[in-house]
């Protein structure tokens, strides 16, 4: 594919989106955290937000990043400063559904995708727990010749997080 | 659940009374039941919510005080009522949503209806149907309303108490803490930025202790220590009220530099830099040089001012081994958009995924795990000596000692 065709949203095929999500979740499930920010554009918006805030129009998020740099800082905070019990996270996404196509403020064409996500945590000596039951609203663009998230909003129904949300969704 | 081992008969307290606490305070179900009666439903003001959460008459919010579900409702212009969310008929928790708006409170089971202030207004078929059935003639609506709590709204925060003996809120705080309280809650209108909610599997007192314990703050929270947000070598103070029940940690933001004091922090990350430092864009906004004021109001809430992050952190006990933790992040209604954004960004430091407060939830769970196997052992509370008095440093557990002295007094132990 030439670079020209890649800049059209038509280049963002269903298969390519599916591959993006497969890679994304595999990276997180394998805890390759340093590879995670690379799934996002430099000026991305990333939010993990309680449904009640989202519906009330509150922008306050449980986890937020306004740039790839902030995502990297999240990884640094997580790997070098935070203390938490060892755990496994496993993510169960449903198949992505393309809901819209559009152009961002920078005239960059994007495809808007929606899917559900279940995030399950297992701690030592414990049965597995659901950390988040969520719907993800993602905007995917072509950036530097690959698909990336320019926006990812994870809206979670879960009323009560079982203690902490350690890893990203 | 982690309650299996019974505490020793008679609930023995260690001889070093002020500087050691037995682990059964975290694990004994009878102690917990007594705490609900004597503390949560006793002469204490409990945090219910913010006044700004209910802008219009008829707006209501549900919450839980101790283990009792309640409704906070704007019952008239300039009036907020707090009633138990328990129908007078058969005890149905009639309000199920978190927030709502209605002209009256109606129970879905048999549709008894209450005025917004809790007065019973209507009982369907009260006079029976076709002269059959109905309530006895002596059934008095005015005697069968919802249970109403005493309420005080103080500079935008709503407090309630189940007890007639609780002194007025200002007296309950004491003059010293009135001053600490009004530094941030100064009468300006507040506005909600959003909520965070988490369940922490640890005894509720541990959350109070955690915020009364500045010793841990510079050590556990490497992120804080690294960026100078809360450091052992900063000018700081711990204040406690005369009863020992309320506490405040006061500190100043410092720099990211290695000092002698930092040598004790084994994982201090002196080389750590942020790619996008906007989360650390802090502005001085309150009088004085302090940038941190973490207030614990016994027993139900932590009033957080951490640089520009303002939250109420409500504790809802859920049995002896766990509590729900409800964060209300707020701003002043007249804040600039930049200030709102700054506060929202700084929320990344706090809450269930916060760079610093996720540590707290995790370590409290670990404390509960350590405690529940050995209720008859005790923990050490000697940092800073055995005194219970305000200090001008952070290397102390004085406020935790104060809380347990007060706790023992109320519990009669
Ligand atoms: S239980 Fe509420 S009306 Fe009967
Ligand atoms: Fe802490």
């Amino acid at each position: 594919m030439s670079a020209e065709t890649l800049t059209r949203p038509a280049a963002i095929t269903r298969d390519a989106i599916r591959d993006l999500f497969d890679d994304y979740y595999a990276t997180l499930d394998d805890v390759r955290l340093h590879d995670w920010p690379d799934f996002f554009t430099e000026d991305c918006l990333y939010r993990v937000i309680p449904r009640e805030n989202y519906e009330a129009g509150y922008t306050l998020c449980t986890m937020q990043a306004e740039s790839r740099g902030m995502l990297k800082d999240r990884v640094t905070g997580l790997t070098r400063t935070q203390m938490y019990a060892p755990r496994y996270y496993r993510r169960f996404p449903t198949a992505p559904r393309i809901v819209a196509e559009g152009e961002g403020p920078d005239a960059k064409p994007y495809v808007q995708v929606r899917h559900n996500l279940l995030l399950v945590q297992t701690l030592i000596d414990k049965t597995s727990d659901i950390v988040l039951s969520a719907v993800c609203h993602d905007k995917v663009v072509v950036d530097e010749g690959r698909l990336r998230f320019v926006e990812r909003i994870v809206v979670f129904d879960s009323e009560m997080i079982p203690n902490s949300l350690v890893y990203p969704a | 659940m982690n309650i299996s081992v019974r505490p020793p008969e008679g609930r023995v307290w260690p001889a070093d009374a002020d500087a050691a606490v037995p682990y059964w305070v975290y694990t004994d179900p009878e102690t917990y039941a007594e705490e609900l009666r004597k503390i949560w439903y006793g002469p204490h003001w409990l945090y219910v919510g913010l006044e700004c959460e209910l802008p219009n008459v008829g707006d209501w919010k549900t919450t839980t005080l101790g283990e009792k579900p309640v409704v906070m409702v704007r019952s008239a212009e300039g009036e907020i009522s707090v009633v138990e969310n328990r129908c007078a008929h058969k005890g149905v928790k009639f309000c199920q949503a978190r927030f709502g708006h209605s002209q009256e409170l109606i129970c879905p089971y048999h549709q008894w209806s209450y005025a917004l202030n809790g007065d019973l207004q209507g009982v369907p078929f009260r006079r029976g149907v076709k002269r059959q059935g109905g309530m006895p003639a002596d059934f008095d609506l005015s005697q069968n309303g919802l249970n109403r709590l005493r309420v005080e709204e103080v500079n935008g925060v709503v407090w309630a108490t189940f007890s007639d003996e609780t002194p007025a809120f200002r007296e309950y705080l004491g003059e010293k803490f009135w001053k600490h309280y009004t530094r941030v809650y100064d009468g300006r209108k507040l506005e909600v930025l959003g909520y965070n909610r988490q369940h922490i599997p640890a005894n509720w007192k541990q959350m109070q202790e955690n915020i009364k314990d500045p010793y841990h703050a510079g050590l556990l929270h490497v992120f804080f220590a690294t960026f100078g947000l809360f450091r052992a070598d900063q000018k700081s103070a711990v204040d406690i009220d005369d009863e020992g029940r309320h506490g405040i940690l006061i500190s100043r933001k410092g720099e990211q530099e290695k000092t002698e004091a930092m040598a004790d922090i084994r994982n201090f990350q002196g080389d750590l830099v942020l790619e996008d430092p906007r989360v650390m864009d802090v502005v001085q906004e309150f009088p004085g040089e302090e940038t941190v004021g973490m207030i614990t109001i016994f027993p139900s809430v932590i009033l957080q001012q951490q640089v520009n992050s303002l939250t109420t952190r409500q504790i809802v006990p859920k049995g002896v081994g766990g509590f729900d933790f409800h964060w209300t992040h707020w701003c002043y209604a007249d804040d600039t958009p930049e200030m709102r954004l700054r506060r929202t960004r700084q929320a990344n430091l706090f809450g269930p995924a916060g760079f610093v407060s996720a540590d707290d939830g995790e370590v409290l769970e670990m404390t509960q795990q350590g405690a529940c196997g050995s209720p008859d052992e005790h923990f050490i509370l000697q940092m800073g000596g055995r005194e219970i008095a305000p200090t001008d440093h952070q290397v102390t557990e004085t406020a935790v000692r104060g809380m347990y002295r007060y706790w023992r007094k109320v519990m009669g132990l």
Side-chain angles (χ1 to χ4, degrees):
Chain A
M1 258 188 285
S2 75
E4 206 182 341
T5 51
L6 273 173
T7 54
R8 282 187 290 111
I12 313 176
T13 61
R14 186 176 299 277
D15 270 1
I17 291 169
R18 191 63 206 236
D19 286 345
L20 172 71
F21 280 109
D22 285 351
D23 283 353
Y24 179 86
Y25 288 119
T27 301
L28 284 180
D29 284 355
D30 296 347
V31 207
R32 285 182 275 124
L33 294 175
H34 291 283
D35 296 336
W36 171 61
D38 215 34
F39 283 95
F40 294 83
T41 64
E42 187 58 55
D43 56 352
C44 65
L45 178 66
Y46 172 80
R47 284 186 166 155
V48 181
I49 183 168
R51 179 179 183 148
E52 65 173 317
N53 290 357
Y54 186 75
E55 287 182 349
Y58 300 143
T59 51
L60 190 114
C61 301
T62 306
M63 232 185 235
Q64 170 173 321
E66 296 157 83
S67 67
R68 191 192 284 155
M70 278 194 193
L71 293 169
K72 289 182 180 164
D73 294 337
R74 175 60 69 174
V75 174
T76 309
L78 203 49
T79 52
R80 293 191 52 194
T81 75
Q82 273 179 255
M83 190 285 305
Y84 46 89
R87 68 197 61 209
Y88 306 109
Y89 269 19
R90 206 156 296 286
R91 297 157 185 83
F92 298 88
T94 57
R97 185 161 66 89
I98 296 171
V99 289
E101 293 181 13
E103 257 183 22
D106 58 350
K108 209 177 219 177
Y110 66 79
V111 167
Q112 202 175 329
V113 184
R114 185 185 157 147
H115 69 285
N116 293 346
L117 177 68
L118 203 61
L119 173 55
V120 175
Q121 145 180 297
T122 311
L123 287 152
I124 310 302
D125 277 345
K126 298 266 176 70
T127 51
S128 303
D129 264 332
I130 294 170
V131 184
L132 299 179
S133 164
V135 54
C136 308
H137 304 273
D138 297 300
K139 283 183 184 166
V140 174
V141 296
V142 177
D143 182 55
E144 296 174 338
R146 58 171 286 190
L147 297 197
R148 283 201 167 108
F149 299 109
V150 65
E151 192 176 294
R152 175 169 170 80
I153 317 280
V154 180
V155 182
F156 61 92
D157 304 329
S158 318
E159 285 280 308
M160 209 53 77
I161 290 175
N163 207 348
S164 37
L165 174 66
V166 171
Y167 297 119
Chain B
M1 286 309 287
N2 47 19
I3 312 151
S4 52
V5 186
R6 301 289 306 148
E9 268 324 300
R11 296 187 288 199
V12 178
W13 201 272
D16 198 354
D18 278 343
V21 176
Y23 286 116
W24 55 255
V25 301
Y26 299 149
T27 59
D28 176 35
E30 274 168 43
T31 303
Y32 174 73
E34 250 176 83
E35 284 177 327
L36 286 175
R37 276 197 306 277
K38 295 178 173 169
I39 295 174
W40 292 88
Y41 311 142
H44 299 91
W45 285 104
L46 307 176
Y47 172 86
V48 195
L50 301 181
E51 174 273 338
C52 64
E53 291 177 286
L54 311 176
N56 304 306
V57 173
D59 287 349
W60 49 260
K61 160 190 157 161
T62 56
T63 182
T64 311
L65 304 180
E67 289 202 349
K68 290 185 192 286
V70 300
V71 190
M72 162 171 122
V73 49
R74 185 163 302 270
S75 44
E77 213 60 65
E79 178 190 280
I80 288 179
S81 299
V82 177
V83 294
E84 280 194 51
N85 191 354
R86 196 186 67 236
C87 179
H89 180 215
K90 288 195 73 182
V92 164
K93 183 185 164 194
F94 51 88
C95 280
Q96 289 284 324
R98 220 184 262 296
F99 292 96
H101 176 91
S102 49
Q103 291 317 308
E104 52 186 359
L105 303 171
I106 300 183
C107 176
Y109 202 177
H110 314 89
Q111 294 175 27
W112 285 26
S113 63
Y114 303 88
L116 293 173
N117 67 6
D119 290 345
L120 180 58
Q121 283 184 320
V123 172
F125 307 135
R126 184 178 165 202
R127 309 276 177 225
V129 176
K130 294 184 179 154
R131 292 203 198 97
Q132 288 178 306
M135 296 296 276
D138 65 352
F139 180 78
D140 182 356
L141 289 187
S142 71
Q143 296 303 303
N144 290 283
L146 299 171
N147 190 30
R148 286 169 79 160
L149 279 70
R150 276 174 66 205
V151 178
E152 271 197 51
E153 191 237 301
V154 188
N155 289 1
V157 188
V158 180
W159 303 88
T161 178
F162 289 94
S163 166
D164 293 332
E165 261 112 73
T166 318
F169 182 75
R170 183 165 178 163
E171 197 186 320
Y172 180 73
L173 274 190
E175 280 313 303
K176 240 190 325 186
F177 272 73
W178 178 255
K179 231 178 98 193
H180 294 313
Y181 179 84
T182 52
R183 176 170 176 270
V184 170
Y185 300 87
D186 56 6
R188 273 184 285 171
K189 179 99 180 136
L190 315 182
E191 194 177 308
V192 171
L193 281 174
Y195 302 93
N196 260 316
R197 305 181 197 274
Q198 63 188 131
H199 177 82
I200 299 182
N203 182 266
W204 67 271
K205 293 188 292 302
Q206 286 197 39
M207 194 67 240
Q208 286 279 348
E209 289 179 51
N210 180 265
I211 306 297
K212 290 173 188 286
D213 163 18
Y215 177 33
H216 91 279
L219 292 161
L220 172 67
H221 302 308
V222 177
F223 193 93
F224 262 6
T226 299
F227 293 104
L229 282 178
F230 206 107
R231 290 176 52 145
D233 55 345
Q234 280 156 217
K235 194 167 181 314
S236 56
V238 177
D239 205 359
I240 51 183
D241 76 323
D242 297 341
E243 296 268 17
R245 55 192 172 193
H246 316 309
I248 182 170
L249 309 188
I250 302 164
S251 183
R252 288 186 194 181
K253 181 182 175 329
E255 296 304 318
Q256 182 179 13
E257 58 184 3
K258 201 155 181 81
T259 66
E260 204 187 320
M262 305 317 281
D264 263 4
I265 305 175
R266 302 174 69 125
N267 43 5
F268 178 67
Q269 307 284 329
D271 64 320
L272 194 150
V273 282
L274 295 177
E275 297 257 344
D276 186 338
R278 284 181 285 177
V279 71
M280 297 292 295
D281 168 29
V282 171
V283 299
Q284 185 73 31
E285 62 169 321
F286 297 104
E289 295 191 299
E290 296 79 19
T291 55
V292 176
M294 297 289 288
I295 305 179
T296 44
I297 306 284
F298 190 79
S300 68
V301 74
I302 292 137
L303 304 177
Q304 159 173 315
Q305 182 250 313
Q306 270 280 8
V307 285
N308 306 111
S309 160
L310 306 170
T311 66
T312 61
R313 300 160 62 165
Q314 184 191 4
I315 297 168
V316 176
K318 294 271 162 169
V320 67
F323 65 93
D324 289 349
F325 206 30
H326 300 264
W327 302 64
T328 304
H329 302 251
W330 58 268
C331 65
Y332 296 105
D334 60 1
D335 273 348
T336 61
E338 293 75 36
M339 193 52 144
R340 281 160 197 258
L341 186 55
R342 178 178 292 113
R343 297 196 206 281
T344 306
R345 274 189 191 126
Q346 286 179 15
N348 273 278
L349 301 169
F350 308 104
F355 289 136
V356 291
S357 64
D359 302 332
D360 287 318
E362 290 289 306
V363 87
L364 297 194
E365 179 170 2
M366 295 175 196
T367 310
Q368 192 73 15
Q369 289 170 346
C372 67
S374 307
D376 48 351
E377 303 285 338
H378 62 263
F379 60 87
I380 301 161
L381 208 48
Q382 292 174 19
M383 205 50 165
R386 290 176 169 72
E387 290 72 36
I388 299 170
T391 67
D392 56 3
H393 60 82
Q394 294 180 1
V395 200
T396 183
E397 291 171 316
T398 188
V400 185
R401 285 191 288 273
M403 183 183 91
Y404 275 107
R405 188 178 60 185
Y406 179 74
W407 184 86
R408 289 176 67 196
K409 190 176 114 186
V410 178
M411 296 287 285
L413 285 162

